[in-house]
Amino acid sequence: QMWQAGKRQASRAFSLYANIDILRPYFDVEPVQVRARLLESMIPVKMINFPQKIAGELYGPLMLVFTLVAILLHGMKTSDTIIREGTLMGTAIGTCFGYWLGVSSFIYFLAYLCNAQITMVQMLSLLGYGLFGHCITLFVTYNIHFHSLFYIFWLGVGGLSTLRMVAVLVSRTVGHTQRLILCGTLAALHMLFLLYLHFAYHKVVEGILDTLEGPNVPPFQRVARDIPVVPNAVLNTTAKAVALTL
């Protein structure tokens, strides 16, 4: 019995090591390569003749998702966000990882329907590096509270990262209709997610009120209108006249 128990534990440990060994190639990357891929994620390349290369690693995208979680936590604390159920950490992790995994799966399904040449790991890597623009935009706009500055970064930095992903998918998809459906869906989801992260965890309402009304403006109150004072004799005479008429 001891031999059988030891054999079972050894087989479990070996299977666990084998599973980790399967994931090891996706995280075996040098910091210099990650830095180069971060810069490349902001540079759209117009090359449609043959498929563009996608890094098949998950270390950089995973670190970017964790960075986005940390930035989102900072935004929640500065905006005094109150979570009814759960914690701030759980909400931030669920939001970021839910978007990364959910949208990657959805776009991969659309890519399968549109006959695009991309794997699930490549889709995770492409969308993960696409979050680099979101991290820059939110880090700046959570600390500098100007809505015009956010829209500039949203169109500039967020737009560049989105165009990079769109260019890669265009090079790996055949057919104008398929390209329009696939790339349009990805661009809309990616840009709207950045808008959601900004407006959901930011002091937007207070900023709009300060802009329209100015700071330290007391709330609106109902004020009685001025009514001219009428002597009692006139009122009595008017009442008697009305009574006689009736």
Side-chain angles (χ1 to χ4, degrees):
Q1 291 179 357
M2 292 177 60
W3 170 258
Q4 292 295 333
K7 185 178 179 180
R8 285 195 298 268
Q9 292 180 358
S11 61
R12 290 176 183 174
F14 180 77
S15 62
L16 179 62
Y17 180 78
N19 294 331
I20 294 176
D21 194 57
I22 291 174
L23 297 176
R24 185 175 298 170
Y26 301 113
F27 295 91
D28 187 11
V29 60
E30 297 294 332
V32 179
Q33 296 176 342
V34 174
R35 182 180 60 188
R37 288 164 184 169
L38 288 176
L39 295 177
E40 290 176 358
S41 66
M42 303 296 297
I43 304 174
V45 179
K46 186 178 180 182
M47 186 170 53
I48 309 176
N49 297 328
F50 56 91
Q52 298 185 23
K53 185 179 179 181
I54 302 176
E57 53 96 3
L58 300 177
Y59 175 78
L62 190 63
M63 293 300 104
L64 281 173
V65 174
F66 279 120
T67 304
L68 187 61
V69 169
I71 296 173
L72 193 58
L73 277 175
H74 172 67
M76 288 179 177
K77 292 180 180 179
T78 54
S79 61
D80 298 329
T81 302
I82 299 176
I83 305 297
R84 299 290 182 182
E85 298 178 359
T87 60
L88 295 179
M89 178 67 75
T91 303
I93 291 177
T95 301
C96 298
F97 276 90
Y99 172 79
W100 182 44
L101 299 176
V103 174
S104 297
S105 303
F106 179 68
I107 298 299
Y108 174 72
F109 176 71
L110 282 182
Y112 176 77
L113 295 179
C114 298
N115 295 324
Q117 301 176 6
I118 191 170
T119 63
M120 185 61 187
V121 176
Q122 290 176 338
M123 190 65 236
L124 287 171
S125 178
L126 181 65
L127 187 63
Y129 277 110
L131 293 175
F132 182 56
H134 286 33
C135 292
I136 296 176
T137 303
L138 294 177
F139 180 76
V140 174
T141 56
Y142 277 163
N143 294 282
I144 303 176
H145 304 284
F146 290 106
H147 298 292
S148 58
L149 180 65
F150 166 74
Y151 287 115
I152 293 174
F153 273 79
W154 179 65
L155 291 175
V157 181
L160 286 177
S161 62
T162 304
L163 286 177
R164 169 66 179 181
M165 295 189 297
V166 167
V168 173
L169 288 180
V170 166
S171 66
R172 291 175 170 265
T173 310
V174 179
H176 297 286
T177 304
Q178 290 84 350
R179 289 175 177 174
L180 181 62
I181 294 174
L182 186 60
C183 299
T185 303
L186 178 61
L189 291 175
H190 202 62
M191 297 296 286
L192 289 177
F193 180 65
L194 182 55
L195 281 176
Y196 168 75
L197 292 181
H198 177 75
F199 286 105
Y201 309 108
H202 195 62
K203 291 186 176 181
V204 181
V205 178
E206 291 82 357
I208 293 176
L209 292 178
D210 291 342
T211 303
L212 295 178
E213 302 176 0
N216 300 324
V217 176
F220 292 102
Q221 297 179 356
R222 292 185 177 272
V223 180
R225 296 183 177 180
D226 295 334
I227 300 176
V229 179
V230 181
N232 293 330
V234 177
L235 292 176
N236 293 333
T237 306
T238 305
K240 289 180 181 179
V242 171
L244 290 176
T245 304
L246 296 175

